[in-house]
Amino acid sequence: MTTAARRSVPGPRPTAGAPVADCTADTAGGLTFDIALGGRKERWDAGLLLHGAQDGADPVRLPLVPAGAEVLRAVLPSTMRLAEGRWRASLVLGDRAPRRLRSGAHDLRSLVARVPRTGRTWLGVRIPYRTQGGGLSVRSWHRWPHAEASELRVEDGGMTVRGRLHGADFADGARLEVRARDGGAVALGVPLVRDEHSFTARLPLEGLAEQPQESGWLLWLRPGGDVPAVRVARILDDLVDKRHAVRYPAVPLLSGTKGVRPCYTGDNDLAIRWESRTPADDLRTGRTALPG
């Protein structure tokens, strides 16, 4: 499943005194939410509501149960499917309107360098995060097969991508492709060096100089055979948005007046951006590893 998630409409910010939810992730991909309600007893009608991910996605209500003194707990198990997108978290008590939750402490250590279990038929990734207004939201990915980038090296006018394919096997004709974000036309393609489910490919970026795309390109992995191409992304860690957290060197093109730069989209898909100017101090080569 590789359909891009549609952006949700920003929801209301938490009000002053809104309840706070702490989140803990487990190694399987599940999430636990703990909410301190200050003296409230157990109630059968309390729930944590995940809503607003995208048009047509039904809200997901998780029951809240006592988990110690004055704490209610909800669990989003790894076995529950959650549509790809950004979900707002709210508290529901009885017939009252949902009340936006504030983001508390997040323990996401188990998400760093996560390895999906074998035998799965789909991959779900959920990362809780604090919104600009202080609210709690959950970013969800739902993909299968999935091509996870693990390392990227930019040097000598090209980029080398290493990663792993989950949910499919390689076959003859497996390739890494650079496709235009507008229209999906293939601008560049190279064969893979494969080792079971791991892959390495080097892209000579100078080939993009003759077909500039102001909107940039996305990287796709074609496993070969009858398996459809899948986007290359980095989602098996604890960084919900890598656009500003991870920065790679630019590669100069056209005598240095233009350039391209590997980057990430807001969905953490690996991309290449077209730049009309390339600062001289950023035209160095070097190795920049992905975090985690």
Side-chain angles (χ1 to χ4, degrees):
M1 178 177 180
T2 58
T3 302
R6 289 172 285 179
R7 296 292 182 216
S8 60
V9 178
R13 296 188 177 189
T15 58
V20 176
D22 297 331
C23 299
T24 303
D26 62 39
T27 56
L31 292 178
T32 298
F33 305 87
D34 285 338
I35 304 172
L37 291 183
R40 293 183 182 272
K41 304 297 183 181
E42 177 181 359
R43 351 181 1 148
W44 64 270
D45 56 355
L48 186 145
L49 189 69
L50 297 174
H51 55 119
Q54 59 188 42
D55 295 339
D58 293 331
V60 175
R61 179 166 175 154
L62 305 173
L64 282 164
V65 298
E70 302 180 359
V71 174
L72 294 179
R73 173 171 294 172
V75 176
L76 177 64
S78 62
T79 54
M80 176 181 287
R81 300 188 184 225
L82 193 65
E84 183 157 333
R86 297 179 184 269
W87 297 78
R88 299 190 298 273
S90 297
L91 173 67
V92 178
L93 295 175
D95 295 331
R96 301 178 188 176
R99 190 177 184 187
R100 192 78 163 91
L101 286 167
R102 285 188 293 152
S103 179
H106 295 170
D107 184 353
L108 308 180
R109 290 172 293 179
S110 64
L111 296 182
V112 178
R114 176 188 165 202
V115 178
R117 295 176 179 174
T118 59
R120 299 197 64 131
T121 57
W122 57 279
L123 174 65
V125 176
R126 301 84 179 262
I127 303 178
Y129 66 97
R130 178 187 177 93
T131 67
Q132 190 173 21
L136 173 64
S137 287
V138 175
R139 178 61 169 94
S140 173
W141 288 265
H142 188 280
R143 300 188 176 184
W144 202 255
H146 168 61
E148 177 76 1
S150 59
E151 185 180 354
L152 191 150
R153 183 194 298 264
V154 180
E155 59 185 359
D156 300 329
M159 59 183 284
T160 300
V161 181
R162 293 184 175 89
R164 186 173 181 83
L165 177 64
H166 299 275
D169 295 322
F170 288 118
D172 292 341
R175 294 165 56 84
L176 182 66
E177 296 180 342
V178 178
R179 298 185 181 185
R181 295 186 71 172
D182 292 340
V186 177
L188 183 64
V190 295
L192 303 176
V193 177
R194 294 142 38 191
D195 181 10
E196 295 185 348
H197 288 90
S198 298
F199 66 88
T200 303
R202 186 180 188 280
L203 293 165
L205 298 179
E206 63 270 13
L208 298 176
E210 300 177 357
Q211 40 189 332
Q213 291 282 337
E214 292 298 328
S215 59
W217 302 265
L218 292 173
L219 271 68
W220 290 75
L221 182 72
R222 184 178 290 280
D226 297 330
V227 181
V230 295
R231 284 171 291 164
V232 180
R234 179 66 189 259
I235 58 177
L236 295 176
D237 58 21
D238 61 343
L239 288 177
V240 70
D241 189 338
K242 298 180 177 64
R243 283 176 295 180
H244 305 296
V246 180
R247 184 174 175 86
Y248 297 109
V251 175
L253 302 174
L254 302 177
S255 301
T257 61
K258 306 288 183 180
V260 292
R261 186 191 302 273
C263 62
Y264 284 97
T265 69
D267 295 323
N268 285 349
D269 295 321
L270 190 55
I272 300 174
R273 183 172 65 231
W274 177 262
E275 297 188 345
S276 58
R277 290 186 59 190
T278 309
D281 62 354
D282 203 13
L283 297 185
R284 63 188 184 277
T285 59
R287 180 179 183 274
T288 305
L290 288 163

